[in-house]
Amino acid sequence: MKYLYSIILTLLMLSCERDHIDLTCQNSFENTSKLNGLNIYSAQLNSTNNTNVLGNSISLVGILSASKDYFNHSFEIKDYQIDESITNYKQGLENTLPITLIMLRPLVDFGGIPYRGDFYLETEVHWQIFENSYKKLILKIAELSNTHPIDLLCIGTELREFVKRRPLFWESLIETLKEEYPELKLIYAANWDDYEAFPFWEEMDYIGIDSYFPLVNKPTPTVEELIAAYSPIKNNIRNFSCQHNKKIVFTEYGFRSIDYAAWKSWELPGTAVATTYNFAVQSNGYEAFYKSFWDEPWVAGGFLWIWNLFKTELSTNPMLLNHWDPNFKPAESIIAHYYND
């Protein structure tokens, strides 16, 4: 019997080694209830349109565009933009439904730079101008936790070059937040292709990943095909979670309702010009995502992209049917099933 047990144990170890599974880590996380969350634009949330909300968690998203000074090539988030963002957050916080968790998350775009992860500046002076405004924004958002029920603050989203080139700034920002707001949990939202490069996960309460992994290069892959494509991705994320002993929060995840939505979403035609739609690929994408991740104890949950509070019915205009929002589409029932399970 001992010999048989030894053989079984060896086979299990070899299997885990092949699949890169750490059994010790698998057992180190408590399997708590998931953050069944929605990303919602903070400017949308008010007392009249917040009744059709799924899940138990909300990420209030504030969009800001850093202004470019074309004379000296510097970028800055202006005070009036910060004030407007704070006003929208306050309005949203005062009108949210009773839910488990609220995250505040600013999304900063940069004029003339298609992807925020590519943003960087050439000179120390320009960096300091922008960093001063960015720090002011984050600290003003954090200050809301003194008067409002904020559980989690996302300190940045997909700012790859900014993080890589200015680590001392981020170190200082994190230190300030921890000193002044010790009860406020912190997260950073890394893009799917560079979450391993963020150097401050040990200082975060969760590992945040925006999950737009290219999965299957087909207009409408099946759920089974998508689950198979997720398998190596899942192993990598699990091992990374184990390495840092931090749970994963998918700060963004989702699929457009358009052909090839489960492939390279950033290469798809924009929502303003696309004239076709595909509900099946969106549904299959959500189903495969939940089947891959939602039962795992090392996954804390996530926030789907994006829930549209202004939407009251399904449009008949084909140009409005291929967007990210799952509202009133078949994918909504899949989300509700997992969020209400």
Side-chain angles (χ1 to χ4, degrees), residues 215-232:
L215 299 171
V216 180
N217 189 7
K218 288 184 178 181
T220 313
T222 65
V223 173
E224 291 71 23
E225 288 174 324
L226 292 169
I227 290 174
Y230 266 130
S231 181

Side-chain angles (χ1 to χ4, degrees), residues 285-309:
Y286 273 105
E287 185 78 40
F289 178 84
Y290 293 130
K291 285 186 174 180
S292 296
F293 293 107
W294 237 235
D295 285 337
E296 298 295 342
W298 45 272
V299 174
F303 302 86
L304 68 83
W305 186 270
I306 188 168
W307 193 254
N308 186 351
L309 285 174

Side-chain angles (χ1 to χ4, degrees), residues 97-118:
L97 295 171
I99 52 178
T100 300
L101 181 141
I102 297 175
M103 177 172 74
L104 298 189
R105 188 161 76 100
L107 286 182
V108 180
D109 293 320
F110 305 89
I113 301 175
Y115 173 52
R116 65 177 64 91
D118 294 331

Side-chain angles (χ1 to χ4, degrees), residues 91-324:
Q91 174 182 292
L93 289 165
E94 289 165 3
N95 291 294
T96 51
L97 295 171
I99 52 178
T100 300
L101 181 141
I102 297 175
M103 177 172 74
L104 298 189
R105 188 161 76 100
L107 286 182
V108 180
D109 293 320
F110 305 89
I113 301 175
Y115 173 52
R116 65 177 64 91
D118 294 331
F119 166 76
Y120 72 93
L121 294 165
E122 296 286 356
T123 71
E124 181 66 23
V125 171
H126 293 157
W127 271 120
Q128 289 189 13
I129 291 172
F130 175 72
E131 288 172 348
N132 287 339
S133 67
Y134 191 86
K135 184 174 184 178
K136 182 184 294 186
L137 167 69
I138 297 300
L139 291 182
K140 278 187 171 290
I141 295 173
E143 187 179 357
L144 291 172
S145 65
N146 289 332
T147 53
H148 295 79
I150 302 164
D151 306 283
L152 187 58
L153 171 63
C154 184
I155 64 172
T157 296
E158 300 175 9
L159 296 172
R160 178 185 60 210
E161 292 297 323
F162 184 10
V163 171
K164 181 172 70 175
R165 294 167 185 261
R166 306 295 290 181
L168 293 181
F169 167 79
W170 289 93
E171 186 177 326
S172 173
L173 176 64
I174 293 167
E175 183 178 350
T176 300
L177 287 168
K178 286 182 171 291
E179 287 179 355
E180 297 186 9
Y181 306 97
E183 302 302 317
L184 184 59
K185 292 186 177 180
L186 303 179
I187 192 170
Y188 173 82
N191 200 34
W192 64 272
D193 60 350
D194 70 346
Y195 66 88
E196 294 175 294
F198 185 70
F200 302 109
W201 289 129
E202 301 305 326
E203 303 302 320
M204 300 293 101
D205 291 280
Y206 299 99
I207 294 171
I209 300 176
D210 287 357
S211 177
Y212 299 114
F213 298 91
L215 299 171
V216 180
N217 189 7
K218 288 184 178 181
T220 313
T222 65
V223 173
E224 291 71 23
E225 288 174 324
L226 292 169
I227 290 174
Y230 266 130
S231 181
I233 294 167
K234 176 180 176 178
N235 287 338
N236 289 339
I237 297 176
R238 170 175 47 213
N239 289 341
F240 194 74
S241 169
C242 294
Q243 175 187 341
H244 292 277
N245 197 30
K246 304 279 183 181
K247 285 194 175 187
I248 303 296
V249 170
F250 292 102
T251 36
E252 288 183 28
Y253 71 91
F255 302 85
R256 279 179 65 185
S257 43
I258 189 171
D259 287 354
Y260 295 97
W263 186 231
K264 298 180 179 180
S265 59
W266 57 94
E267 294 183 354
L268 295 173
T271 56
V273 297
T275 58
T276 61
Y277 63 93
N278 181 341
F279 290 159
V281 65
Q282 184 181 52
S283 295
N284 291 352
Y286 273 105
E287 185 78 40
F289 178 84
Y290 293 130
K291 285 186 174 180
S292 296
F293 293 107
W294 237 235
D295 285 337
E296 298 295 342
W298 45 272
V299 174
F303 302 86
L304 68 83
W305 186 270
I306 188 168
W307 193 254
N308 186 351
L309 285 174
F310 285 171
K311 199 170 184 179
T312 57
E313 61 184 7
L314 192 62
S315 172
T316 57
N317 183 346
M319 292 186 68
L320 299 178
L321 294 176
N322 60 66
H323 292 199
W324 288 93

